[in-house]
Amino acid sequence: MEALIGTFQVGMSILFQPLNFVIMVLGILWGIIFGAIPGLTATMGVALAIPITYSLRPETALILLSSIFVGAISGGFVSAGLINMPGTPSSIATTFDAYPMSKRGETARAFALSLASSFLGGIVAVFLMIIATYGLVQIALKFGPFEYFALGLLAFAGCMGMMEGGLIKNAVGIIIGLLLASIGADMLTGVGRLTFGIPDLIAGIDILPLLVGMFGISEVLVAIEQRTQNVVPLEARKTKMGIKVFMDAVKTILFEQPINFIRSMLIGFIIGVFPAVGGATSCVVSYGFAKSSSKHPEKFGTGIPDGIIASEVANNATVPGALVPLLSLGIPGDATTAMMIGGFMIHGLFPGPLLFRDTPELVYTIFAAQFVGTIVMVIMGILLMGFFIKVLSIKSYYLFPIITICMVIGAYGLYSRVLDIWLMLVSGVMGYLFRKINLPIVPIITAFVLGPIIERGLRQGLAYSGGSMMPLFTRPICVILLIGAVFLFLLGMYVNTRVAAKLQPGKAQEQ
């Protein structure tokens, strides 16, 4: 308990510096807007902000990125309830009941339930995040070369088993990521690899243009192709959020549905901890459990509070959960945390156990930003709901040219290299094509980030052991990680099957 209090004291002292607090508020606002407008998503919001963070201090940069993450996941319920389109994939199950409730003229209640669920699920999960992160990092500090190699296998097993798209496509994504990570000078010999005679590639591919292209540019291309349009009903534009309706929603969650709340929060947090899963899976799984355990399952999809609570509590609990493997092990928990790694790396920081050892104040600041940011998100939701609804009315195709220009400027501004613009554009086209063939992008980024780490671990481990792989099967932590990799792979296959089964009825209801 003393360590927890000390953590918050250090983090709060940094967070409440005037500039940092203003940045956090702006990040929450930025995130809610990106979460509310279909086609923008939390990942794009973070991608667009990463170049901006280059001119900020590391703690301020991480406050901005984590605040955008919190705001965007929460903001997804606005479009989910108003126009039956999830602003982010994490809100897909929210549409099942929030939109029918809104169609009945209870838009304010649907928003209040979503906002209260987002707040309660996120605030409790922050404390679980701190406890879980401290526990994992104590183990990670004992890692040697073979442990890092086994950790990479664990992450790859999670990607292959849990990501949508199928086993083969996920494996192909990992191979592509490893090939991209291999471009440049060999880390031990300095020999160029896969440079194709291009001198600028000897330094390798920087993560920023790759991330912005794969996630940001490809997202814009997909949204343009789908011609996303936002049509907010006229009567819904007058919706206002008051303290009374919000407190009624809090009472409903805590006193009428405590079991649904606790179950959904745990499901969201645990799924968030698993590498490469994310809120889209957690909200659907939580919704499925709520429906299967309800005394009135036939009411789900008709505008029942149970479904909104299950979805929004789970997807907001996933945010702190996804930060656990990022901060403690250096493994991205989902697409957005994969983007956040770019924010760490452009400041010369590498998330993982060494971050706790060398710059613990940065970790404490992220903890504080998650806690306070969730509170600020609720205040904004109550006071500015009318503004967010008006923002949702903006046609998306007006925003995409501005967003694209900002991403191009950000990619060029980091190192002032035209090559980075080309890398971003090529990555964007690749990301778009991968989406067309349903090839997940997260395994590519995960392999790109972890590729150098596991390569170094394997080569150093083999040097220490005289070329023997036996330490991988005799060192206790390695064995645990390998067993965890098998478990995560099998669990992922099972969860994907459950999600597919639960999602089909939901899609039918939408139509």
Side-chain angles (χ1 to χ4, degrees):
M1 182 60 69
E2 293 182 2
L4 183 63
I5 295 174
T7 295
F8 266 98
Q9 286 177 341
V10 174
M12 292 294 183
S13 65
I14 297 175
L15 179 65
F16 280 98
Q17 293 175 9
L19 176 61
N20 291 342
F21 186 77
V22 171
I23 287 292
M24 182 197 66
V25 173
L26 293 177
I28 295 290
L29 180 62
W30 179 312
I32 294 177
I33 292 174
F34 268 76
I37 299 177
L40 297 191
T41 75
T43 305
M44 186 183 291
V46 173
L48 196 59
I50 284 180
I52 299 174
T53 64
Y54 184 67
S55 60
L56 301 175
R57 292 177 58 85
E59 62 272 17
T60 309
L62 297 180
I63 288 172
L64 175 62
L65 297 180
S66 58
S67 299
I68 293 173
F69 195 8
V70 172
I73 298 300
S74 303
F77 71 78
V78 179
S79 54
L82 279 182
I83 58 177
N84 200 28
M85 292 178 62
T88 64
S90 299
S91 298
I92 185 170
T94 306
T95 61
F96 300 164
D97 283 285
Y99 183 66
M101 185 179 289
S102 182
K103 285 181 66 177
R104 292 203 305 261
E106 300 179 69
T107 304
R109 187 187 182 205
F111 281 176
L113 285 169
S114 300
L115 189 62
S117 299
S118 300
F119 168 67
L120 294 173
I123 211 77
V124 175
V126 168
F127 293 100
L128 294 180
M129 172 186 69
I130 296 173
I131 295 171
T133 303
Y134 270 119
L136 276 178
V137 82
Q138 295 304 315
I139 299 174
L141 285 171
K142 301 177 182 178
F143 277 19
F146 277 112
E147 281 77 10
Y148 278 107
F149 177 70
L151 179 64
L153 297 181
L154 174 70
F156 294 163
C159 288
M160 292 176 64
M162 292 205 165
M163 287 300 299
E164 298 179 4
L167 179 63
I168 296 177
K169 290 182 178 179
N170 291 330
V172 170
I174 291 173
I175 294 172
I176 293 173
L178 291 174
L179 288 174
L180 291 174
S182 300
I183 295 175
D186 182 275
M187 64 180 66
L188 297 182
T189 65
V191 176
R193 301 186 302 191
L194 302 178
T195 59
F196 304 102
I198 302 175
D200 287 340
L201 285 180
I202 198 67
I205 296 178
D206 190 76
I207 191 171
L208 179 58
L210 181 68
L211 286 173
V212 173
M214 283 276 186
F215 288 106
I217 297 295
S218 68
E219 195 79 51
V220 170
L221 293 175
V222 169
I224 291 174
E225 180 187 38
Q226 295 175 348
R227 299 183 180 180
T228 303
Q229 296 187 16
N230 311 325
V231 182
V232 180
L234 291 176
E235 62 275 11
R237 297 182 185 183
K238 302 178 181 179
T239 300
K240 295 183 179 180
M241 180 71 65
I243 295 293
K244 184 179 183 301
V245 66
F246 175 77
M247 293 308 299
D248 288 341
V250 172
K251 293 176 182 177
T252 299
I253 296 169
L254 295 181
F255 297 108
E256 296 180 19
Q257 301 204 28
I259 295 177
N260 187 15
F261 166 70
I262 295 173
R263 179 183 58 236
S264 301
M265 189 270 298
L266 291 175
I267 289 173
F269 181 80
I270 292 171
I271 288 180
V273 172
F274 290 152
V277 186
T281 299
S282 69
C283 74
V284 175
V285 171
S286 178
Y287 187 91
F289 272 99
K291 183 176 181 180
S292 61
S293 60
S294 173
K295 296 180 181 179
H296 306 285
E298 71 281 356
K299 294 184 178 181
F300 278 73
T302 63
I304 188 172
D306 309 46
I308 299 175
I309 294 169
S311 175
E312 286 299 312
V313 168
N315 64 31
N316 281 270
T318 302
V319 174
L323 289 173
V324 172
L326 175 70
L327 295 175
S328 59
L329 303 175
I331 298 175
D334 61 2
T336 310
T337 49
M339 289 295 309
M340 290 179 67
I341 286 182
F344 280 92
M345 295 179 71
I346 64 175
H347 287 280
L349 302 170
F350 294 90
L354 297 183
L355 188 68
F356 272 82
R357 188 192 68 183
D358 300 334
T359 53
E361 67 278 1
L362 295 181
V363 183
Y364 303 157
T365 302
I366 294 175
F367 290 161
Q370 288 287 304
F371 181 81
V372 178
T374 304
I375 298 174
V376 172
M377 177 272 298
V378 170
I379 297 173
M380 283 188 174
I382 295 174
L383 298 179
L384 302 177
M385 185 55 66
F387 167 74
F388 295 135
I389 293 174
K390 290 181 180 178
V391 168
L392 182 60
S393 303
I394 299 175
K395 301 299 182 182
S396 300
Y397 48 74
Y398 291 140
L399 300 175
F400 291 136
I402 300 173
I403 291 173
T404 303
I405 292 172
C406 291
M407 286 189 286
V408 170
I409 293 173
Y412 175 78
L414 189 59
Y415 298 116
S416 300
R417 297 191 310 177
V418 176
L419 175 67
D420 287 335
I421 297 179
W422 285 109
L423 288 174
M424 182 195 70
L425 295 176
V426 171
S427 299
V429 174
M430 288 173 58
Y432 170 74
L433 295 176
F434 291 156
R435 289 169 181 257
K436 295 292 288 185
I437 62 174
N438 197 28
L439 182 71
I441 298 176
V442 173
I444 299 175
I445 301 301
T446 301
F448 180 82
V449 171
L450 294 180
I453 297 174
I454 64 173
E455 180 186 1
R456 185 184 299 111
L458 178 61
R459 293 171 71 171
Q460 289 179 348
L462 291 175
Y464 294 153
S465 65
S468 173
M469 290 290 292
M470 284 308 297
L472 187 64
F473 305 100
T474 57
R475 296 171 67 94
I477 296 179
C478 289
V479 174
I480 293 173
L481 290 173
L482 292 177
I483 294 174
V486 175
F487 171 76
L488 201 58
F489 176 80
L490 296 177
L491 179 64
M493 302 296 287
Y494 171 74
V495 168
N496 268 333
T497 303
R498 286 289 302 269
V499 169
K502 296 294 181 184
L503 195 54
Q504 291 302 321
K507 288 182 178 179
Q509 289 168 4
E510 284 185 38
Q511 298 171 351

